[in-house]
Amino acid sequence: MRQLSTYPRPLTPDGSYPGRWSALVALLLGEAMNLLDATVVQVAAPAIHADLGGSVSDIQWFTTAYTLPFAVLLITGGRLGDIAGRRRLFVLGVVGFAVASLACALAPGVGFLIAFRAVQGASAALVIPQTIGLIKAMFAGDEMSRALGSIGPVMGLAAVCGPVLGGVLTHADLFDSSWRAVFLVNVPLALVVLALSPRLPQDRAPKRPTLDITGTLLAMTGTGLLVFPLIGADISRLSGRSWAEVTAGLLTLTVFALHQRGVAATGRSPLVEPTLFTRPGFPAALVASTSFFAVTNGLMTVVVLQLQLGLGAGVLKAGLTLAPWSVGLAVSSWAAGAHLVRRYGRRTMLAGLGVLLTGMLGAILAYDHTVRGAYPIWLLPALGVVGLGAGLFTPAFFTQALKPLRAQESGSAAGLLNAVQQLGATLGVAVLGSVYLANAGAGGGTGVGVGTEGAPGALYAVRVAFWGAVGLVGVCAGASRVMGREA
């Protein structure tokens, strides 16, 4: 039963929420804006580095500075929406995202840009968790299914447009803006969202949860310690200090898990529902999500690094190279969500991994048969196959991960899966990007050029990174099989 007091104006005579479809546009634009921002920056990152200077590992930080706070604050953002009102948090997040985007566009140096990217990520963590709750507050019955079903196609379109838009905007150099245009494009999008946001209901949870500040700080500290030493490092030769930081991160996350049990035992609201870990299926889903999104986000970064730093290709060519991946992802995710998952169930998930692996092996062959200094033309169809596999896997995975859960677990599970998705993206950029950079120069150093005679070079480095990703797909496949046992 809808609570009329949560709405800014009365319901219509037929009991529906007025302006719900235009309000849905605001929610979908808010989601798409965040996805676009992540993908356009991946393509523009080498151009940013060329302009602002700094360490080559800063290229990884341009992405991870966004995804890391996004990951660790997602669940807290959802809790804040439950407490203070989802529309209020949605608007606050969009305003923060727009201001941070403008600050990124005006950033005078690398340090400022990385700091503003972190603010963007924190703002996105306020926006994204509110979407599902607000849709459920405005729609019911078949309309709710239609509204929820619109998220996938919009995200697919954003995935297609992101890399190409990043290349086009940076290459166009409008008003001498160069890479700064990829951040400025967020401002008009945010203004449209804010103009439509008064149509959203001021919805909140019927039972006010508590806010687990200690749990949030433990999660932030643990993931930060885990990711920070991997950025720009030679993974095969981590220093003793780096291993100590990684170990401290794992121990902190263990303390976080114990803290969550203690919070739940006292009757307060933990960030993560402990009952999710009483069966093997959901922990396996977390492993699968982490490894899968590490592969997809990490490889996208590696391809861009090889093209722009190793080959010297322009940003537009890099963006267009990723277009087959994005198109394949959009087409297959629509087919899986609309037809294949309902007919074949979890087999769609495993088939997606098989197609993904085929595309990755095709990409390795493409690099094997590319002359040093030449454009890897056969990479294009291989990346198209990679996109098809990723699009098949994703809808089936989330359906399988959430299917066996009890009603009281679904909200916490969805938030945790989204958080782990962002953490996987962060780790993928950190680890696979570092594998590439460590092998791209002479003697396994951090050079990023095509390489000198006898040096491993960028083609060697990108193959090493892809083989590492093949291992992560194997981890994902094993975890997916464990998930299937609860079907």
Side-chain angles (χ1 to χ4, degrees):
M1 191 70 171
R2 296 185 177 184
Q3 302 295 319
L4 301 186
S5 61
T6 64
Y7 295 103
R9 54 190 182 278
L11 302 180
T12 60
D14 65 356
S16 61
Y17 179 72
R20 58 194 178 280
W21 294 108
S22 55
L24 177 64
V25 171
L27 297 177
L28 295 178
L29 273 178
E31 291 244 0
M33 182 174 62
N34 288 281
L35 179 57
L36 276 172
D37 188 79
T39 52
V40 298
V41 172
Q42 280 186 314
V43 174
I48 299 173
H49 171 258
D51 183 30
L52 297 183
S55 169
V56 71
S57 65
D58 291 336
I59 294 175
Q60 296 162 279
W61 275 115
F62 298 151
T63 297
T64 55
Y66 175 84
T67 55
L68 188 57
F70 190 9
V72 297
L73 294 175
L74 261 173
I75 300 177
T76 300
R79 284 280 191 268
L80 288 170
D82 292 338
I83 295 170
R86 296 187 178 98
R87 184 183 69 178
R88 183 175 290 115
L89 266 293
F90 180 84
V91 170
L92 179 63
V94 171
V95 170
F97 192 86
V99 172
S101 296
L102 183 60
C104 287
L106 300 175
V110 171
F112 286 100
L113 178 59
I114 291 173
F116 296 143
R117 286 288 282 162
V119 176
Q120 273 190 311
S123 300
L126 298 181
V127 173
I128 300 303
Q130 319 309 330
T131 301
I132 301 298
L134 287 169
I135 288 177
K136 288 184 175 181
M138 294 187 294
F139 296 91
D142 291 340
E143 281 195 346
M144 183 189 295
S145 298
R146 288 168 55 195
L148 290 171
S150 65
I151 296 176
V154 170
M155 295 301 99
L157 181 62
V160 171
C161 294
V164 177
L165 185 63
V168 169
L169 287 174
T170 306
H171 177 77
D173 195 20
L174 298 173
F175 307 107
D176 295 323
S177 60
S178 181
W179 57 267
R180 299 179 189 274
V182 304
F183 296 108
L184 289 174
V185 74
N186 292 325
V187 177
L189 288 174
L191 291 176
V192 174
V193 174
L194 293 174
L196 294 172
S197 62
R199 296 177 178 270
L200 295 167
Q202 187 55 281
D203 181 61
R204 57 172 57 87
K207 181 181 178 182
R208 181 175 177 140
T210 56
L211 187 61
D212 185 7
I213 297 176
T214 302
T216 301
L217 292 175
L218 285 171
M220 291 177 64
T221 303
T223 51
L225 287 170
L226 188 63
V227 173
F228 182 80
L230 303 179
I231 300 292
D234 183 344
I235 304 300
S236 64
R237 289 182 285 185
L238 285 179
S239 66
R241 177 179 176 180
S242 296
W243 280 116
E245 290 174 342
V246 170
T247 302
L250 293 173
L251 289 175
T252 303
L253 291 176
T254 301
V255 173
F256 166 74
L258 296 174
H259 171 76
Q260 295 299 285
R261 287 182 176 274
V263 170
T266 61
R268 292 176 291 153
S269 303
L271 281 178
V272 178
E273 178 58 55
T275 59
L276 291 170
F277 299 90
T278 58
R279 301 181 304 276
F282 190 76
L286 298 181
V287 174
S289 181
T290 302
S291 53
F292 174 79
F293 288 103
V295 167
T296 55
N297 287 270
L299 287 185
M300 189 175 290
T301 297
V302 166
V303 169
V304 170
L305 288 175
Q306 189 275 328
L307 288 171
Q308 294 195 53
L309 300 185
L311 185 60
V315 65
L316 181 60
K317 181 176 284 190
L320 293 175
T321 299
L322 293 175
W325 180 330
S326 299
V327 172
L329 175 67
V331 170
S332 60
S333 62
W334 172 82
H339 304 288
L340 299 178
V341 174
R342 283 185 292 179
R343 183 170 182 179
Y344 299 106
R346 69 183 182 90
R347 286 179 291 176
T348 308
M349 181 169 61
L350 297 174
L353 290 178
V355 175
L356 173 65
L357 182 61
T358 300
M360 290 165 58
L361 294 176
I364 292 172
L365 284 175
Y367 285 119
D368 276 338
H369 291 84
T370 299
V371 177
R372 181 175 292 182
Y375 180 80
I377 188 65
W378 290 107
L379 180 65
L380 297 175
L383 291 183
V385 176
V386 168
L388 287 172
L392 288 174
F393 175 85
T394 308
F397 167 76
F398 282 105
T399 300
Q400 180 65 36
L402 296 173
K403 183 179 178 181
L405 301 179
R406 294 184 285 268
Q408 69 270 20
E409 297 172 331
S410 59
S412 179
L416 187 56
L417 283 171
N418 279 321
V420 167
Q421 173 183 339
Q422 297 301 322
L423 178 59
T426 303
L427 289 171
V429 172
V431 174
L432 296 182
S434 295
V435 167
Y436 173 83
L437 294 174
N439 288 279
T446 58
V448 293
V450 173
T452 58
E453 190 66 32
L459 288 173
Y460 170 82
V462 76
R463 293 198 299 270
V464 173
F466 264 82
W467 279 116
V470 167
L472 288 174
V473 171
V475 172
C476 183
S480 298
R481 289 190 174 276
V482 175
M483 290 173 60
R485 295 172 188 169
E486 291 192 5

